[in-house]
Amino acid sequence: MTEPTEPCTSSSLARDPTTVIHPRREPFEHGLLPIPRLIFSDPAQTLIPLKQKLLESSSNQRVDSAAISESLQISIEQARLVLDTLASVLHSDAEPLVAAKLGEIDSVGVDVHDLVLFLYIQSYKRLLPRTHKDSAAVADVWPSTSAFDGYLSALSPLQLVRSNSRRGMPSQVDEEAHQLSYLQKHLANIVSLVAQPVEGEGEESLVLTMDRFEHLGFLIQFGDKGSEGNSFSQSSPFFANSDPDMPAVPVPAAQVHDWLLQNIAAALEYISERTSSKENGPASASDQDVAMTDACTTSVNKVSTSTRSASFIEGISKSSYVKHASDIKGSSVKVLNCHESAIYILAPLRYATVYGCSDATVVIGAVGKAVRVEHCERVHVIVAAKRICIANCRECVFFLGVNQQPLILGDNHKLQVAPYNTFYSQLEEHMNEVGIVPTVNRWDEPLALGMVDPHDSLSHPAGVSDVQAESATRVDPDQFTNFVIPNWFGAESTGATKGNPFMLPDAYMASQHKNQKNLGEIRQLLREAPLEESRKRELSSALHVYFKDWLYASGNIRQLYCLQGD
């Protein structure tokens, strides 16, 4: 048996940032599904027998959607959603479910231990964040109460997230501390879910093999690189430098539990120290991940890069903003609180979040795992992605090239979906890099789940938890237009993409051809019209007025912000 590890103090663990334990954000940010049957009041009591049942019924410890549907008493559609969601948030790129091609996810199935950890955290409640410092500043956006608002207030999504009565986006440090505290509270149950009894000694004596220990990396990582660095087991004293040809000795579950508790306590202390030092002195570049949302949200363009593989674009107002692949540090981007702007992120990413934006156009190149758009108003989102989740948005239009059904959650109103409508020269290269298939586009198959999010820490009135979210309608083909990304954005213009890589449906293609034909006929008539110079000037002036009205009505006025420069 492995020798007991040396006891360590939280202060000694917290001094080296590369050894600090972190919760993996992806399962908490992109892996929670508001399906009531996935949320258990006592997850450990339910999931331990469920795990045993699934393991006994599987020859390779993996289960498909049929087994998930039967064991959890959910529809086969919801079971496939569980598999798709798990594939987008698992921690190892070597995991067969992550590496599976689009049509193979169900046949590959998910490891039972990853499934039960995923099901366990469905009981997680998101943090109730700090209130907005200036709720009065956002009181002039939304009109009066509608029948749709029902039990909610007359506030818009932006007012809801910024006012004292509803939530604003928590800072990264608050979220991380909240997630760590959740893991700390539930750690004994989590470890027991992946542990196994010693042969002949019964359930009282649980151990973890290196393989079982590795599953804990679904929820926890060490240092900043996470799955991009060493495996989770190699960051532990139990299995570090183990000979791959010689099975490592299993470790008592109690020993693993105690060691992880020490590290979580150290991490919470480390967060507290960093937060207090920031409050007592000027912030440095390394503090961006601690207090992201405390940053100034003015009209000045702002981008920050955290040490945890994420870039934040925040507070862009009445301007354009572009980021190429070479400008993005890390594998995920968060666009926060941007208004009346055009944001271009022309890069391959793993994850993307758009939160709290209004009257903006956001173009995101290629996202291989998941996109989440939340609490936005009158925003146009153009994205090529494996999957997208839309929550609590109003009057937004989504131009999508997506391989999975768009997921719609929460309190939404007047959402529209349309096929993907743009391109840039490196788009297909970026799509190939992150594994997006251009021949599959499920933009018009939105899946609406619950209107109330059970993971929200806010309380909700009784009787509304099962109300289905409002789905999205299709953009009328006659209203569909191509979006042109300006080509003066910089030197990164090399690439093979010469047009939209996603095939347009026939109705939208026919509408485009009709519009092009009509435009050609109008140009011909104008050229041949026998008008005097004064009449030509009047006609030109009238056309400019109508064009200006169309720019504002369609939202395309945002593209002209690009002419203003930085």
Side-chain angles (χ1 to χ4, degrees):
M1 194 63 69
T2 304
E3 291 295 321
T5 54
E6 288 294 324
C8 50
T9 64
S10 61
S11 58
S12 65
L13 283 168
R15 293 293 176 251
D16 183 0
T18 63
T19 63
V20 172
I21 203 169
H22 298 283
R24 279 191 71 243
R25 291 175 183 160
E26 293 81 9
F28 295 103
E29 293 181 1
H30 298 277
L32 302 179
L33 296 173
I35 299 175
R37 287 189 178 274
L38 302 186
I39 302 169
F40 309 106
S41 56
D42 188 345
Q45 188 172 359
T46 307
L47 292 174
I48 288 176
L50 176 67
K51 180 189 76 169
Q52 291 307 122
K53 179 183 174 184
L54 291 173
L55 287 174
E56 289 166 7
S57 65
S58 171
S59 59
N60 61 354
Q61 298 191 357
R62 306 187 76 84
V63 290
D64 59 12
S65 58
I68 294 171
S69 172
E70 181 184 357
S71 61
L72 296 173
Q73 294 296 293
I74 58 177
S75 69
I76 195 72
E77 183 182 50
Q78 290 177 334
R80 290 195 182 109
L81 176 61
V82 168
L83 276 180
D84 289 339
T85 305
L86 262 164
S88 72
V89 297
L90 282 172
H91 57 298
S92 173
D93 289 339
E95 156 62 35
L97 184 63
V98 176
K101 294 181 180 178
L102 201 57
E104 300 174 351
I105 286 178
D106 198 46
S107 60
V108 169
V110 63
D111 187 287
V112 170
H113 301 94
D114 290 330
L115 174 62
V116 293
L117 289 178
F118 170 82
L119 293 173
Y120 193 97
I121 66 164
Q122 298 303 313
S123 64
Y124 173 76
K125 291 277 188 182
R126 290 196 188 96
L127 174 65
L128 183 63
R130 295 170 294 188
T131 55
H132 195 267
K133 295 175 182 176
D134 187 14
S135 58
V138 293
D140 58 352
V141 181
W142 200 247
S144 60
T145 307
S146 68
F148 172 80
D149 288 311
Y151 67 93
L152 295 175
S153 70
L155 299 177
S156 74
L158 290 181
Q159 289 171 307
L160 291 176
V161 302
R162 295 175 178 179
S163 71
N164 288 324
S165 62
R166 298 291 286 181
R167 62 180 183 178
M169 188 169 186
S171 71
Q172 290 291 297
V173 68
D174 292 337
E175 279 188 336
E176 179 150 323
H178 185 63
Q179 290 162 9
L180 279 172
S181 297
Y182 171 85
L183 292 172
Q184 186 179 49
K185 177 181 177 182
H186 295 274
L187 190 61
N189 291 337
I190 289 169
V191 170
S192 68
L193 279 176
V194 296
Q196 62 191 69
V198 177
E199 198 169 329
E201 296 189 26
E203 294 291 335
E204 297 79 22
S205 182
L206 295 174
V207 296
L208 275 81
T209 61
M210 186 167 76
D211 177 64
R212 295 287 185 94
F213 182 84
E214 196 66 50
H215 288 288
L216 293 172
F218 175 58
L219 299 176
I220 300 168
Q221 71 180 58
F222 280 91
D224 297 332
K225 293 185 178 180
S227 60
E228 298 171 17
N230 292 329
S231 66
F232 184 66
S233 60
Q234 293 304 304
S235 301
S236 75
F238 311 115
F239 303 109
N241 304 316
S242 295
D243 185 347
D245 299 322
M246 183 72 67
V249 177
V251 179
Q255 196 173 331
V256 172
H257 173 263
D258 291 345
W259 176 74
L260 286 173
L261 272 185
Q262 287 179 349
N263 278 274
I264 290 174
L268 288 168
E269 181 180 323
Y270 181 64
I271 287 173
S272 177
E273 288 177 358
R274 290 178 67 193
T275 305
S276 60
S277 66
K278 178 187 178 298
E279 290 172 351
N280 295 330
S284 66
S286 63
D287 290 327
Q288 298 289 1
D289 201 42
V290 174
M292 174 186 64
T293 56
D294 291 337
C296 175
T297 54
T298 66
S299 60
V300 178
N301 292 354
K302 173 178 176 55
V303 66
S304 61
T305 303
S306 86
T307 56
R308 294 274 315 281
S309 299
S311 294
F312 305 107
I313 297 170
E314 184 174 10
I316 311 300
S317 180
K318 295 185 178 179
S319 61
S320 63
Y321 194 88
V322 62
K323 280 290 171 184
H324 294 291
S326 60
D327 304 317
I328 301 293
K329 308 304 179 187
S331 56
S332 67
V333 164
K334 293 189 176 184
V335 180
L336 310 170
N337 303 318
C338 294
H339 310 289
E340 298 182 67
S341 297
I343 312 293
Y344 304 86
I345 305 167
L346 310 182
L349 301 166
R350 292 167 70 90
Y351 299 94
T353 299
V354 181
Y355 187 99
C357 298
S358 68
D359 300 288
T361 296
V362 181
V363 183
I364 306 175
V367 184
K369 297 289 188 181
V371 179
R372 185 175 180 91
V373 183
E374 189 170 8
H375 286 297
C376 290
E377 294 176 10
R378 299 178 301 278
V379 171
H380 288 188
V381 176
I382 305 171
V383 63
K386 279 272 185 70
R387 60 187 281 113
I388 185 169
C389 177
I390 301 159
N392 305 309
C393 293
R394 296 199 178 191
E395 298 182 34
C396 294
V397 187
F398 300 88
F399 297 88
L400 303 175
V402 287
N403 292 164
Q404 297 174 12
Q405 289 180 275
L407 187 60
I408 299 180
L409 316 174
D411 173 26
N412 301 283
H413 193 39
K414 291 185 178 180
L415 302 185
Q416 291 182 285
V417 290
Y420 194 74
N421 68 339
T422 193
F423 73 93
Y424 58 96
S425 62
Q426 292 180 304
L427 177 58
E428 288 174 281
E429 177 187 328
H430 292 166
M431 287 170 58
N432 289 335
E433 186 175 331
V434 298
I436 297 170
V437 181
T439 55
V440 177
N441 190 1
R442 304 184 70 180
W443 67 274
D444 58 344
E445 303 174 43
L447 175 61
L449 293 182
M451 181 173 169
V452 171
D453 188 351
H455 304 108
D456 194 330
S457 294
L458 292 163
S459 60
H460 298 282
V464 296
S465 59
D466 294 329
V467 177
Q468 189 177 28
E470 181 179 323
S471 191
T473 60
R474 300 181 189 181
V475 168
D476 189 307
D478 290 336
Q479 302 299 317
F480 178 83
T481 57
N482 283 326
F483 184 89
V484 179
I485 297 175
N487 60 6
W488 58 78
F489 273 147
E492 293 196 27
S493 59
T494 57
T497 309
K498 305 298 181 186
N500 187 343
F502 295 92
M503 181 68 70
L504 281 180
D506 291 343
Y508 292 86
M509 184 70 77
S511 177
Q512 277 204 331
H513 289 158
K514 183 181 75 173
N515 291 338
Q516 290 169 358
K517 180 182 177 183
N518 291 343
L519 179 61
E521 290 174 352
I522 291 171
R523 284 174 171 169
Q524 186 69 19
L525 287 171
L526 290 175
R527 278 195 296 265
E528 296 174 355
L531 297 177
E532 297 176 359
E533 284 301 317
S534 60
R535 301 292 289 173
K536 284 183 179 180
R537 284 194 294 271
E538 289 178 15
L539 178 60
S540 176
S541 177
L543 288 173
H544 276 92
V545 169
Y546 281 117
F547 179 60
K548 183 178 179 182
D549 289 345
W550 174 82
L551 282 174
Y552 280 100
S554 65
N556 287 297
I557 188 66
R558 300 163 199 155
Q559 291 194 67
L560 296 187
Y561 292 136
C562 302
L563 296 170
Q564 299 175 356
D566 292 333

